[in-house]
Amino acid sequence: QLKLVETGGGLVQPGGSLTLGCTASGGTLKDHAVGWMREGLGLGCTSRGEGNTRYDDSVKGRFTITRDNAKNTVYLQINNLNSEDTGIYTCAAGGVCMSVNLIKRYSIRGQGTQVTVSS
């Protein structure tokens, strides 16, 4: 069974950048759409394989999702962090990346990683 583990959280100063990782075990992550949420809010997702990405309007231009299939990992890069980015970031795996609103319905989730933006 696919299991997800998030890494890369921590304390970051405003204006800084951070890259979170979502690494899978027990299965192949490229066979799934993968999304990122912050405390229930869908942020962005990437479709299966080397597919398309979608982002919530609130994070477009600052958030970037990429895949490294060799590492069975999906990354979320966050630039120009601000206090509103503070929260627990969770990755999830599901069927399709059609809308960020569907990420919360993905059946497989990691435990989450805390990101705190503060000076």
Side-chain angles (χ1 to χ4, degrees), residues 3 6 10 15-16 20 26 30 40 53 60 67-68 73-74 81 84 87 91 93 99 102 107 115:
K3 181 179 178 181
E6 298 92 341
L20 307 179
K30 70 177 181 179
T53 53
K60 280 181 181 177
R67 287 184 180 266
D68 186 335
T73 299
V74 170
L81 282 149
E84 293 183 354
C91 67
S99 167
L102 295 178
S107 58
V115 172

Side-chain angles (χ1 to χ4, degrees), residues 27-39:
T28 303
L29 199 54
K30 70 177 181 179
D31 294 337
H32 302 266
V34 177
W36 286 92
M37 297 179 289
R38 182 179 64 239
E39 297 177 0

Side-chain angles (χ1 to χ4, degrees), residues 7-112:
T7 56
L11 175 64
V12 187
Q13 290 188 343
S17 298
L18 196 65
T19 299
L20 307 179
C22 174
T23 300
S25 60
T28 303
L29 199 54
K30 70 177 181 179
D31 294 337
H32 302 266
V34 177
W36 286 92
M37 297 179 289
R38 182 179 64 239
E39 297 177 0
L41 172 68
L43 302 172
C45 58
T46 178
S47 58
R48 299 171 189 169
E50 302 288 345
N52 296 327
T53 53
R54 295 179 183 269
Y55 300 95
D56 186 76
D57 287 344
S58 65
V59 303
K60 280 181 181 177
R62 291 196 304 121
F63 286 37
T64 304
I65 295 174
T66 57
R67 287 184 180 266
D68 186 335
N69 292 330
K71 294 183 177 180
N72 218 19
T73 299
V74 170
Y75 298 100
L76 174 66
Q77 181 177 349
I78 310 172
N79 296 323
N80 194 21
L81 282 149
N82 59 67
S83 58
E84 293 183 354
D85 296 320
T86 293
I88 297 174
Y89 285 70
T90 304
C91 67
V96 294
C97 173
M98 295 294 291
S99 167
V100 296
N101 294 322
L102 295 178
I103 298 171
K104 59 190 174 190
R105 298 184 184 181
Y106 289 177
S107 58
I108 303 168
R109 295 187 182 189
Q111 292 298 308

